[in-house]
Amino acid sequence: MRKIELLIKNSIYLPEKKVTIEELAKSGAILKGNVNNLKKRGIYSIPVDNENSGLDMLYKALDPILYNSDLDLDKIKYIIIPNSFHAYLFDQDIIKLIKDRYKLRNAIGFSIMDLSCSSYLMGFEMGHTFLKKSLKTDEFILVVSIQKVTNPHLRYGGDAFVIGDSAVASILGKQPGSVGSQIMAVTNLMHTYTTKLTEEEDISGPVYWDYSNLINLSKVLKMTLDKANIQLEQIKLIIPNNTIVENWHYLAKLMKFSSNKFFLEGLENYGHMNNCDLILNYELALKRDLLHSGDHFVLISLGLGGTIGCAVLKKE
Protein backbone atom coordinates (compact mmCIF):
# COMPACT_ATOMS: atom_id res chain seq x y z
CA MET A 1 0.00 0.00 0.00
CA ARG A 2 1.31 3.45 -0.89
CA LYS A 3 2.19 5.69 2.00
CA ILE A 4 -0.37 8.47 2.50
CA GLU A 5 0.58 11.53 4.49
CA LEU A 6 -0.44 14.99 5.48
CA LEU A 7 2.34 16.49 3.40
CA ILE A 8 2.04 20.02 4.67
CA LYS A 9 1.23 20.96 8.21
CA ASN A 10 -2.36 21.93 8.75
CA SER A 11 -2.96 25.63 8.39
CA ILE A 12 -5.26 27.30 10.88
CA TYR A 13 -6.81 30.73 11.35
CA LEU A 14 -7.71 31.59 14.91
CA PRO A 15 -8.95 35.08 15.90
CA GLU A 16 -6.78 36.85 18.45
CA LYS A 17 -9.80 38.22 20.29
CA LYS A 18 -11.31 36.02 22.99
CA VAL A 19 -14.66 36.52 24.70
CA THR A 20 -15.15 35.13 28.18
CA ILE A 21 -18.20 33.16 29.28
CA GLU A 22 -19.06 36.01 31.67
CA GLU A 23 -19.00 38.49 28.77
CA LEU A 24 -21.27 36.25 26.72
CA ALA A 25 -23.70 36.06 29.63
CA LYS A 26 -23.63 39.84 30.06
CA SER A 27 -24.47 40.28 26.36
CA GLY A 28 -27.39 37.88 26.67
CA ALA A 29 -25.87 35.26 24.35
CA ILE A 30 -26.05 32.67 27.15
CA LEU A 31 -28.03 32.44 30.36
CA LYS A 32 -26.23 33.87 33.39
CA GLY A 33 -27.25 30.84 35.41
CA ASN A 34 -25.31 28.57 33.08
CA VAL A 35 -21.93 30.26 33.47
CA ASN A 36 -20.80 28.07 36.37
CA ASN A 37 -21.95 24.89 34.62
CA LEU A 38 -19.91 25.78 31.54
CA LYS A 39 -16.83 26.61 33.60
CA LYS A 40 -17.14 23.30 35.44
CA ARG A 41 -16.83 21.65 32.03
CA GLY A 42 -13.61 23.56 31.38
CA ILE A 43 -15.06 26.23 29.08
CA TYR A 44 -13.90 29.73 30.01
CA SER A 45 -13.64 31.70 26.77
CA ILE A 46 -13.91 31.37 23.00
CA PRO A 47 -12.17 33.06 20.04
CA VAL A 48 -14.52 35.48 18.27
CA ASP A 49 -14.01 37.32 14.98
CA ASN A 50 -16.36 40.27 14.52
CA GLU A 51 -14.27 41.81 11.74
CA ASN A 52 -13.89 39.12 9.08
CA SER A 53 -16.52 37.25 7.11
CA GLY A 54 -16.50 33.47 6.95
CA LEU A 55 -14.96 33.71 3.48
CA ASP A 56 -12.19 36.02 4.73
CA MET A 57 -11.47 33.58 7.53
CA LEU A 58 -11.26 30.75 5.02
CA TYR A 59 -8.72 32.69 2.96
CA LYS A 60 -6.65 33.39 6.07
CA ALA A 61 -6.38 29.64 6.63
CA LEU A 62 -5.62 28.86 2.97
CA ASP A 63 -3.20 31.66 2.09
CA PRO A 64 -0.22 30.28 4.09
CA ILE A 65 -0.31 26.93 2.30
CA LEU A 66 -1.44 27.97 -1.18
CA TYR A 67 0.20 31.36 -1.76
CA ASN A 68 3.97 31.40 -2.35
CA SER A 69 4.05 27.65 -1.84
CA ASP A 70 6.41 25.09 -3.36
CA LEU A 71 3.35 22.93 -3.93
CA ASP A 72 2.36 22.47 -7.58
CA LEU A 73 -1.20 23.77 -7.40
CA ASP A 74 -2.06 22.10 -10.69
CA LYS A 75 -1.67 18.80 -8.83
CA ILE A 76 -4.51 19.54 -6.38
CA LYS A 77 -7.16 17.12 -7.63
CA TYR A 78 -9.97 17.54 -5.10
CA ILE A 79 -11.29 20.20 -2.72
CA ILE A 80 -13.36 18.77 0.15
CA ILE A 81 -15.40 21.11 2.36
CA PRO A 82 -17.12 19.70 5.47
CA ASN A 83 -20.02 22.07 6.04
CA SER A 84 -20.62 23.53 9.49
CA PHE A 85 -23.93 24.55 11.02
CA HIS A 86 -23.16 28.27 11.14
CA ALA A 87 -20.81 28.75 8.19
CA TYR A 88 -23.06 28.28 5.19
CA LEU A 89 -22.39 30.84 2.48
CA PHE A 90 -25.53 30.18 0.45
CA ASP A 91 -25.11 33.17 -1.85
CA GLN A 92 -21.54 32.26 -2.88
CA ASP A 93 -19.94 29.40 -4.76
CA ILE A 94 -17.15 28.60 -2.29
CA ILE A 95 -15.54 25.95 -4.50
CA LYS A 96 -15.34 28.36 -7.46
CA LEU A 97 -14.01 31.17 -5.27
CA ILE A 98 -11.24 28.94 -3.94
CA LYS A 99 -10.37 27.66 -7.40
CA ASP A 100 -10.27 31.18 -8.87
CA ARG A 101 -8.28 32.76 -6.03
CA TYR A 102 -5.57 30.09 -5.99
CA LYS A 103 -5.77 29.09 -9.68
CA LEU A 104 -6.64 25.47 -8.88
CA ARG A 105 -7.50 24.71 -12.49
CA ASN A 106 -7.77 20.93 -12.17
CA ALA A 107 -9.56 20.61 -8.83
CA ILE A 108 -12.99 19.02 -8.38
CA GLY A 109 -15.04 20.18 -5.39
CA PHE A 110 -17.09 18.20 -2.86
CA SER A 111 -19.27 19.34 0.03
CA ILE A 112 -19.96 17.02 2.97
CA MET A 113 -23.28 17.39 4.75
CA ASP A 114 -25.19 15.87 7.68
CA LEU A 115 -22.29 14.34 9.61
CA SER A 116 -22.24 17.16 12.16
CA CYS A 117 -18.95 17.32 14.08
CA SER A 118 -17.48 14.27 12.32
CA SER A 119 -17.40 15.71 8.82
CA TYR A 120 -13.71 16.67 8.85
CA LEU A 121 -12.63 13.08 9.37
CA MET A 122 -15.01 12.05 6.60
CA GLY A 123 -13.04 14.48 4.47
CA PHE A 124 -9.89 12.61 5.52
CA GLU A 125 -11.51 9.28 4.64
CA MET A 126 -12.59 10.56 1.22
CA GLY A 127 -9.11 11.94 0.54
CA HIS A 128 -7.47 8.76 1.83
CA THR A 129 -9.67 6.67 -0.50
CA PHE A 130 -9.07 8.90 -3.55
CA LEU A 131 -5.31 8.77 -3.04
CA LYS A 132 -5.24 5.00 -2.61
CA LYS A 133 -7.24 4.47 -5.79
CA SER A 134 -5.20 6.87 -7.93
CA LEU A 135 -2.28 5.51 -9.97
CA LYS A 136 -0.52 8.87 -9.78
CA THR A 137 1.92 9.64 -6.97
CA ASP A 138 1.89 13.41 -7.18
CA GLU A 139 -1.75 14.33 -6.59
CA PHE A 140 -2.97 16.34 -3.63
CA ILE A 141 -6.28 16.86 -1.87
CA LEU A 142 -7.36 19.96 0.01
CA VAL A 143 -9.70 19.69 3.01
CA VAL A 144 -10.94 22.97 4.48
CA SER A 145 -13.58 24.03 6.99
CA ILE A 146 -14.95 27.26 8.48
CA GLN A 147 -16.70 27.85 11.80
CA LYS A 148 -18.27 31.29 11.81
CA VAL A 149 -21.19 32.25 14.03
CA THR A 150 -23.05 35.27 12.65
CA ASN A 151 -25.76 35.37 15.34
CA PRO A 152 -24.30 35.62 18.89
CA HIS A 153 -27.27 33.74 20.34
CA LEU A 154 -26.31 30.68 18.28
CA ARG A 155 -23.01 30.36 20.15
CA TYR A 156 -24.64 28.64 23.10
CA GLY A 157 -25.20 24.90 22.68
CA GLY A 158 -26.51 24.17 26.13
CA ASP A 159 -24.20 23.28 29.00
CA ALA A 160 -22.21 21.02 26.69
CA PHE A 161 -20.38 23.70 24.73
CA VAL A 162 -20.11 27.27 23.45
CA ILE A 163 -19.11 27.82 19.83
CA GLY A 164 -16.23 30.06 18.68
CA ASP A 165 -14.89 31.17 15.27
CA SER A 166 -12.02 29.69 13.24
CA ALA A 167 -10.97 28.14 9.94
CA VAL A 168 -8.67 25.20 9.23
CA ALA A 169 -7.14 23.53 6.17
CA SER A 170 -5.21 20.32 5.47
CA ILE A 171 -3.42 19.01 2.40
CA LEU A 172 -3.25 15.27 1.79
CA GLY A 173 -0.77 13.61 -0.55
CA LYS A 174 1.24 10.42 -0.88
CA GLN A 175 4.86 11.35 -1.32
CA PRO A 176 6.95 9.57 1.35
CA GLY A 177 9.43 11.42 3.49
CA SER A 178 7.49 14.67 3.67
CA VAL A 179 6.66 16.77 6.70
CA GLY A 180 3.41 15.73 8.28
CA SER A 181 1.69 12.62 9.60
CA GLN A 182 0.90 9.37 7.86
CA ILE A 183 -2.78 8.45 7.78
CA MET A 184 -2.81 4.75 8.58
CA ALA A 185 -6.57 4.16 8.79
CA VAL A 186 -9.83 6.13 8.93
CA THR A 187 -13.35 5.05 9.92
CA ASN A 188 -16.60 7.00 9.87
CA LEU A 189 -19.95 5.62 11.07
CA MET A 190 -23.39 7.02 11.80
CA HIS A 191 -25.66 5.46 14.42
CA THR A 192 -28.90 7.38 14.01
CA TYR A 193 -30.75 5.38 16.65
CA THR A 194 -28.89 7.40 19.30
CA THR A 195 -30.67 10.57 18.15
CA LYS A 196 -33.41 11.49 20.62
CA LEU A 197 -33.90 15.18 19.98
CA THR A 198 -37.49 16.43 19.92
CA GLU A 199 -39.03 19.83 19.44
CA GLU A 200 -39.85 19.96 23.13
CA GLU A 201 -36.31 19.21 24.30
CA ASP A 202 -34.77 22.03 26.31
CA ILE A 203 -31.09 22.29 25.32
CA SER A 204 -30.50 24.92 27.99
CA GLY A 205 -31.01 22.38 30.76
CA PRO A 206 -28.69 19.68 32.15
CA VAL A 207 -26.63 17.70 29.64
CA TYR A 208 -27.17 13.97 29.32
CA TRP A 209 -25.40 11.53 27.05
CA ASP A 210 -26.43 8.17 25.70
CA TYR A 211 -24.38 5.18 26.89
CA SER A 212 -24.73 3.70 23.41
CA ASN A 213 -22.53 6.56 22.17
CA LEU A 214 -19.72 5.23 24.36
CA ILE A 215 -20.22 1.70 23.02
CA ASN A 216 -20.12 3.00 19.47
CA LEU A 217 -17.05 5.14 20.17
CA SER A 218 -15.20 2.11 21.52
CA LYS A 219 -16.25 0.02 18.50
CA VAL A 220 -15.10 2.62 15.99
CA LEU A 221 -11.81 3.14 17.82
CA LYS A 222 -11.15 -0.62 17.87
CA MET A 223 -12.11 -0.97 14.20
CA THR A 224 -9.72 1.78 13.18
CA LEU A 225 -6.87 0.40 15.29
CA ASP A 226 -7.43 -3.03 13.72
CA LYS A 227 -7.37 -1.57 10.22
CA ALA A 228 -4.11 0.20 11.05
CA ASN A 229 -2.72 -2.98 12.68
CA ILE A 230 -1.90 -0.95 15.79
CA GLN A 231 -2.55 -1.82 19.43
CA LEU A 232 -4.10 0.69 21.80
CA GLU A 233 -0.97 0.42 23.96
CA GLN A 234 1.05 1.83 21.05
CA ILE A 235 -1.02 5.03 20.91
CA LYS A 236 0.84 8.00 22.39
CA LEU A 237 -2.05 10.46 22.37
CA ILE A 238 -5.78 10.55 21.62
CA ILE A 239 -6.98 13.92 20.33
CA PRO A 240 -10.78 14.33 20.42
CA ASN A 241 -13.02 17.16 19.29
CA ASN A 242 -14.34 19.54 21.93
CA THR A 243 -17.70 18.06 22.80
CA ILE A 244 -18.93 16.71 26.14
CA VAL A 245 -15.69 16.05 27.97
CA GLU A 246 -17.21 13.33 30.17
CA ASN A 247 -17.53 11.14 27.08
CA TRP A 248 -13.76 10.78 26.85
CA HIS A 249 -13.29 9.98 30.54
CA TYR A 250 -15.98 7.30 30.37
CA LEU A 251 -14.57 5.92 27.12
CA ALA A 252 -11.22 5.48 28.87
CA LYS A 253 -12.93 3.58 31.70
CA LEU A 254 -14.89 1.44 29.25
CA MET A 255 -11.77 0.48 27.31
CA LYS A 256 -9.65 0.18 30.46
CA PHE A 257 -6.89 2.65 29.68
CA SER A 258 -5.72 5.88 31.27
CA SER A 259 -7.73 9.01 30.57
CA ASN A 260 -4.37 10.83 30.55
CA LYS A 261 -3.99 9.66 26.96
CA PHE A 262 -6.71 12.11 25.95
CA PHE A 263 -5.59 15.62 25.02
CA LEU A 264 -8.37 17.82 26.44
CA GLU A 265 -6.63 21.18 26.70
CA GLY A 266 -8.28 22.43 23.52
CA LEU A 267 -11.70 22.75 25.15
CA GLU A 268 -10.45 25.40 27.56
CA ASN A 269 -8.64 27.25 24.76
CA TYR A 270 -11.24 27.18 22.00
CA GLY A 271 -14.60 25.92 23.18
CA HIS A 272 -16.37 23.88 20.51
CA MET A 273 -15.82 24.59 16.82
CA ASN A 274 -17.73 22.35 14.47
CA ASN A 275 -15.23 20.57 12.15
CA CYS A 276 -12.41 22.90 13.18
CA ASP A 277 -11.60 22.08 16.79
CA LEU A 278 -10.13 18.65 15.97
CA ILE A 279 -7.39 20.22 13.82
CA LEU A 280 -6.95 23.11 16.27
CA ASN A 281 -6.38 20.55 19.02
CA TYR A 282 -3.91 18.61 16.85
CA GLU A 283 -1.90 21.76 16.15
CA LEU A 284 -1.98 22.69 19.84
CA ALA A 285 -0.65 19.23 20.77
CA LEU A 286 2.22 19.75 18.30
CA LYS A 287 2.87 23.19 19.79
CA ARG A 288 3.04 21.58 23.23
CA ASP A 289 5.63 19.13 21.81
CA LEU A 290 3.49 16.14 22.76
CA LEU A 291 4.06 14.25 19.48
CA HIS A 292 7.41 13.22 18.06
CA SER A 293 8.63 11.36 15.01
CA GLY A 294 7.40 7.76 15.06
CA ASP A 295 4.58 8.35 17.56
CA HIS A 296 1.18 6.87 16.79
CA PHE A 297 -1.84 8.95 17.71
CA VAL A 298 -5.60 9.09 17.19
CA LEU A 299 -7.98 11.79 16.02
CA ILE A 300 -11.55 11.04 17.10
CA SER A 301 -14.79 13.01 16.88
CA LEU A 302 -18.33 12.54 18.13
CA GLY A 303 -21.17 14.44 16.49
CA LEU A 304 -24.85 15.04 17.07
CA GLY A 305 -27.01 12.10 16.07
CA GLY A 306 -24.41 9.40 16.69
CA THR A 307 -21.89 10.34 13.98
CA ILE A 308 -18.39 9.15 14.81
CA GLY A 309 -15.10 9.64 13.00
CA CYS A 310 -11.73 8.14 13.91
CA ALA A 311 -8.28 8.22 12.31
CA VAL A 312 -5.04 6.53 13.36
CA LEU A 313 -1.94 8.45 12.31
CA LYS A 314 1.82 8.23 12.65
CA LYS A 315 3.91 11.37 13.16
CA GLU A 316 6.73 11.63 10.61
Side-chain angles (χ1 to χ4, degrees), residues 38 59 98 113 137 139 148 171 192 195 199 204 246 273 281:
L38 289 166
Y59 290 155
I98 293 174
M113 302 286 290
T137 60
E139 291 181 343
K148 171 70 174 178
I171 289 186
T192 55
T195 305
E199 292 183 1
S204 66
E246 287 89 344
M273 300 211 202
N281 292 346

Side-chain angles (χ1 to χ4, degrees), residues 199-257:
E199 292 183 1
E200 293 78 20
E201 184 166 0
D202 180 9
I203 64 170
S204 66
V207 175
Y208 302 99
W209 53 92
D210 195 320
Y211 186 73
S212 58
N213 277 332
L214 300 177
I215 300 296
N216 294 330
L217 278 167
S218 66
K219 287 180 179 178
V220 173
L221 178 54
K222 289 176 182 177
M223 287 170 59
T224 314
L225 289 168
D226 287 345
K227 285 196 288 187
N229 197 26
I230 295 294
Q231 301 297 313
L232 184 57
E233 293 75 20
Q234 296 175 260
I235 297 299
K236 176 72 175 296
L237 200 66
I238 300 177
I239 304 173
N241 63 334
N242 297 336
T243 54
I244 301 173
V245 71
E246 287 89 344
N247 276 320
W248 312 120
H249 292 300
Y250 284 119
L251 179 60
K253 290 181 179 180
L254 182 65
M255 298 189 69
K256 296 181 172 61
F257 66 89

